[in-house]
Amino acid sequence: MKLPFSKKKTVTEASLSFTFTRRAMVVGGLQAGIGALLVSRMAWISVAENEKYNLLSESNRVNLTLIPPRRGWILDRNGRPLANNRTDFRVDLIPERMTDAEGTIRSLAQLLALSPDEVDRIKDELVKSAGFRPVQVAEKLSYDQYAAVSVRLPDLPGVAPSQGFSRNYPAGATVGHLLGFVGAASAKEYVERKDPLLITPGFKVGKDGLEKSFDRDLTGKPGAKRVEVTARGKIVQELTTRPDTPGNPIKLTIDAGLQEYAGRRLATQSGSVVVIDCHNGDVLAMASMPSFDPNSFSDGISHVEWDMLSKDDHVPLRNKTLQGLYPPGSTVKPMVALALLEAGISPMDTVSCTGALRVGNTLFHCHKRRGHGSVNMRTGIAQSCDIYFYQMAQRIGMDRIASMARRVGMGQKFALPFPSQSFGTVPDPAWKLKKYDQKWQVYDTVNATIGQGYMLINPLQMAVMASRLATGRQLMPNFIYGAHREAPAPVGVKEEHLVTIRDAMSAVVNGGGTGGAARINIPGVMMAGKTGTAQVRRITMAERGGGVRSNASLPFKLRDHALFQGFAPFDNPRYAIACIIEHGGHTNRIEDAPMIAADTMTFLFDQAKAMEKLETLEKDWGGPPAERMARQMAAWRLAKAIEKGEAPPEAANAANAANAVEGSNAAAPAPAAATDADDVPPPPGSDPAAAR
Amino acid sequence: MSIVPEPLTQFPWRVLGILLAIAGFGTLVLYSAAGGSITPWAINQGVRFVLFSGMALVLSRIPLELFARFAFPAYGVVLVSLFLVELIGGVAGGSQRWINLGFMQLQPSEFMKPIIVLAVARFYALLPVGEIRRWNAIWPALVLIGIPAALVLVQPDLGTAMMIVAGGVTVMFLAGLPLRLFVGSGLAFAAIVPIAFSFLHDYQQKRVLIFLDPESDPLGAGYHISQSKIAIGSGGIFGKGFLKGTQSHLDYLPEGHTDFVFATMAEEWGLLGGVMLIGAFMLLFRWGIGVSLRAQDKYARMVAAGLTTTIFFYVAINLMMVMGLAPVVGIPLPFMSYGGSSMLTVMLCIGIIMAIDRSGRRSGRRGNWA
């Protein structure tokens, strides 16, 4: 068979030999050509791209480990640390480097004696983790524990022990809401900023409060450690180390002692205390209790602890000072009185209080059923007579009252370094029309004059109001020590009017008024103030007929809020204070707003005396907040264990007994409880009103 | 006549010098790859080189006729052992390339690389001159190549199969088959590749794409090539210095003493070392092609050129692989990569070429005297 394309060409031995020679030359030439190609390819890689590959080789060889910078301290006005750093040994997990997550966690749990809670938290976080973000296993380890993990590293891929610093808050829970806390950066934050520091084990960012607002200032410059490593991560030698630059310290206007005192003095109540310096508006204390312990938050909070905090009806996770909004109740009466004076009403003008007043077709009650009789402005404030204000407010109209309310800081927004704030409202006819498309009614004015209805305030705004009533200047709250500020604008009222108001507010406390519990026992220092009660439920006509239920008999969530605002000394104000007790209901005189405010104020004039009283009282409350929280935590843990069937119920009873100190105390009857305050039928479309 | 005695002038000094230079350099690189230690690689490699050089010199004494006569029987034996490997491998489960003889592990596919050249060359030497342009000149060679190539391919060992095909086809080309056959099938192959690519599985396509752009998957399949290029690229012109390579010493370069030994070398000796090494190999190939051109015998010249090309394929495929021009197929670099099988094969080739060289000189001298 012939190939189809072959031509008649004589193939001889000689021609074949010639073909071979030619083709062997071609093969040789091709080989030389490919050799040249290989040389030029190699030259391209090693000469033209040398720089690129050198860099890659170096980044292979050298492992750059960032050293998290120490966080700047947060100091109080006297230089005492509110937040500092503590040396510690810690262990993290890098999820993407782990091969056997279950086994690794098991060995770690054994080596570090981790509790089941902690193990659950670690597993939780591992599931949520983005892979490259470290998950904290434990910190505050002893050197022995650290060493035990370190020597087993070859068997535990993905485990990263390190020595570093962790955030420490000496005052614990009492600064929780003020300072916030720190924590490992979230995957979202890393995606946004792409800063490798964020995924360095041990590095924390501010997560809430001032820690979050001043995060950039507090974060220093990271140090770096260059080590030569093999492909398997074994360290061959350390090359260079650059130390970190700590972050800048921040000095606050807060007085650490006062802050802690206020937090402790809030006792077992859910409440808030704010103290403002009347000279310049500096905030000396801003406590919101109960709170979380920022130390345990910054360590990575356990699932159970979080669960407990989020289910507590005293809302420890909410900063009540800045996020809590309350009807101000009768605490607005001095402000309303100032508006009356400005409108030309004489302080000596009297109103006859018979216990109730008909406005339109609604009957408004005074908190004193029998009535106050003939009431002038001083008595109206001191006795908190509702009828006086109902009548007088109708004479001048809501717009003038709203103008005064705004000038003393109600409804005003302050540019404060906190990530989340809620501000109260000052309603007036224009506001209501815009918001509800409804005309302002007379009963709206009546409600507003006793701080109910649409009117809302947060505790900080209330402290600002107290300071402005005290000084007649529009002081602005401030948290940064020595911050430069414009001189405050005047409130725009006559000094003699202010004197009248201060005198009346002093009468509330010292002149047989409703705030007798706020009297302070310091020679030459008299407290002035105004009490308030904010009702949170409607009182039906039927209930009123059968007698209004006492607060003590109501469930916690339905009890009235108790409020107090004031300043001292009354004739030459130095400090202004505001205190709100959520659902306090005036059931416990010692843990009520006036006395808490008075004791906190006492601390500013005589620390020893205030502390002595607090320490005596704390014995009845079950110790300082940290102790009580630990006990609450233990009881909660046990309850959870019983739910899961892990512990016998008898053990729980024992724990409850241990916890009973707290419980019995909360139920203790108020010694000199006030007359029950709420005697006003709720007008349609608005919250029920009450005053005291 | 020279005053130097005949056995000494006859001794292949030149080629042995080239081999000694390459293998000596290779041993030095292995010494460095082991972190500056002659164990475990450098010493073994050196001893092997000496042993296999001796073997090559013995081979060079064997008359050429013997290689011709035993070409087909040897081919048959290797083919049978390839079948055996396939059977045993099937029993053992998984891919198996060797037969365990007790004292050593025999890898028959390795021997097929030189023997396919001997067998195909033998076929064309026996073919009558006038038949070369007929169909009869093609199909037997294709069968000779196709069966072992297919057997090796299913092992699976793509690199070796490629080398067997390349060695056989090179001999077909040298035998004088019409050029258009090669051009035509080359074009057809180029046309088929994209179509074949579309028929591949996703993971196979991915593998090819990673070869084309290894940086796209630096931690996975592209890791070998990426690290190899980093080693070569970071070496620069003069290298990082003997024993100072970081890619190899810190284990970033995988297989730094076997398939990727060139990268280990290039990192420490730079472009300079690479050019010297490639130059030395080129001298070796020039010698081999030279031998084939000098040879009078049809079989001898085809074998010499074919075996040279086989060694060339080792070098070319390996270097293209380490420089990122070819996928990772597991072809070692002769005399440099640690391992006995490849050195044995290459030394077999060298020994046979030396035998051809020797007989060529003899016959040439005889011719002069006649």
Side-chain angles (χ1 to χ4, degrees), chain A residues 295-334:
Chain A
N295 289 306
S296 75
F297 259 53
S298 300
D299 293 351
I301 187 167
S302 77
H303 193 80
V304 176
E305 193 175 356
W306 174 265
D307 207 33
M308 178 186 85
L309 291 174
S310 55
K311 285 184 181 153
D312 192 332
D313 61 359
H314 284 39
V315 281
L317 295 176
R318 192 173 71 216
N319 182 356
K320 298 178 191 88
T321 316
L322 295 174
Q323 295 162 355
L325 288 180
Y326 308 89
S330 300
T331 58
V332 297
K333 282 177 183 165

Side-chain angles (χ1 to χ4, degrees), chain A residues 184-206:
Chain A
S186 66
K188 198 170 140 247
E189 282 166 316
Y190 176 68
V191 169
E192 275 165 17
R193 276 163 64 185
K194 281 287 167 209
D195 187 344
L197 184 59
L198 293 180
I199 53 168
T200 307
F203 180 73
K204 303 268 175 84
V205 295

